[in-house]
Amino acid sequence: MTGTAVRIGLVLPDVLGTYGDSGNAAVLRQRLRWRGIDAEVVDVHLGAPVPSGLDVYLLGGGEDEAQALAAAHLRAHPGLQRAAARGAVVFGVCAGLQVLGSSFVVSGGTRHAGLGLLDVSTSPGERRAVGEVVVEWDREPLTGFENHLGVTTLGPGSRPLGRVAAGTGNGDGTDGAVTGHVLATYLHGPVLARNPALADLLLSWVLGTPPGELPVPEVGELRRERLRAARAARWR
Ligand code: GLN
């Protein structure tokens, strides 16, 4: 982290932002502010250069065509890749996950190169996965909503985020992918609003603080924990 405020990059919300994924940036900013840490969201738009000096980068979901545009833009302006190379935190959802991988095939059959930050590749599945998802994660069950055709295969350079208890996720019983401080999932929600422990894991990486040492903000925490547990119980 550089400077005084944590700088949260909301990457291409104009093409990657279905199902309110842009809300993940607001969640990170608010959880930092609750802890007395200044934070700002920097929107990175299609057609503009991608800054390499931000602390965390967020990519949301999108249609095939939108994510192909996003991948082409991010490959042409490799600020995100430079930031990841120096250890910046990167978080992707659905199309964001696929774009962070090595390649993805869209429903027309065209293969697009990804950013190669996760060792995953994606191809169209037989049917669209739509609905609620519960993922067993090492901290607590994660809940979210999925809507994607892509099936994602992990290589040895990434490990899954968790195991799917309900829904589809990657398509092989796992969901998401993690390599270093690059983490991605199929869960929309916004997923960081529904699963603050996941938000805090990302923040612990940004701040260089073990997650257990991040004081828990008290605002609304109890109510949201009841809601999270109820959703996990309902959909499992
Ligand atoms: N277009 C991708 C797919 O269908 C991702 C969809 C999404 O981000 N919701 O697999």
Side-chain angles (χ1 to χ4, degrees):
M1 194 181 125
T2 52
T4 49
V6 173
R7 300 185 78 210
I8 301 162
L10 182 56
V11 180
L12 307 181
D14 32 6
V15 284
L16 296 180
T18 52
Y19 308 116
D21 293 328
S22 297
N24 289 323
V27 171
L28 290 186
R29 182 180 57 195
Q30 191 58 40
R31 294 185 77 76
L32 285 161
R33 288 181 176 172
W34 276 339
R35 293 171 165 117
I37 300 167
D38 196 12
E40 63 183 14
V41 176
V42 177
D43 283 6
V44 180
H45 289 291
L46 200 66
V50 181
S52 59
L54 307 181
D55 300 300
V56 49
Y57 293 77
L58 306 178
L59 293 78
E63 302 78 7
D64 285 4
E65 203 177 317
Q67 80 182 68
L69 268 174
H73 182 74
L74 295 172
R75 283 166 51 77
H77 301 272
L80 169 50
Q81 298 86 313
R82 284 199 198 107
R86 63 160 170 81
V89 177
V90 183
F91 176 63
V93 174
C94 200
L97 179 160
Q98 298 177 14
V99 166
L100 292 171
S102 49
S103 70
F104 58 89
V105 177
V106 291
S107 43
T110 309
R111 178 178 298 275
H112 296 268
L115 308 188
L117 299 180
L118 291 170
D119 188 8
V120 306
S121 56
T122 302
S123 323
E126 280 172 18
R127 74 178 73 87
R128 183 162 279 276
V130 185
E132 292 288 326
V133 194
V134 179
V135 174
E136 300 294 352
W137 178 47
D138 52 13
R139 283 147 215 263
E140 61 184 26
L142 303 172
T143 78
F145 175 82
E146 66 183 340
N147 182 355
H148 57 102
L149 188 63
V151 170
T152 295
T153 307
L154 274 68
S158 288
R159 62 182 168 81
L161 175 63
R163 197 179 53 77
V164 171
T168 300
N170 294 335
D172 64 353
T174 69
D175 177 69
V178 187
T179 298
H181 286 174
V182 182
L183 186 151
T185 174
Y186 269 106
L187 305 192
H188 299 281
V191 65
L192 299 185
R194 286 177 63 152
N195 305 279
L198 187 58
D200 284 354
L201 175 68
L202 299 175
L203 291 179
S204 77
W205 290 347
V206 170
L207 300 171
T209 311
E213 287 175 27
L214 269 182
V216 176
E218 284 175 13
V219 193
E221 205 67 0
L222 192 60
R223 207 168 35 178
R224 83 81 201 153
E225 174 49 31
R226 282 201 208 109
L227 191 56
R228 190 199 60 74
R231 282 184 178 130
R234 167 149 188 220
W235 295 107
R236 230 181 315 194

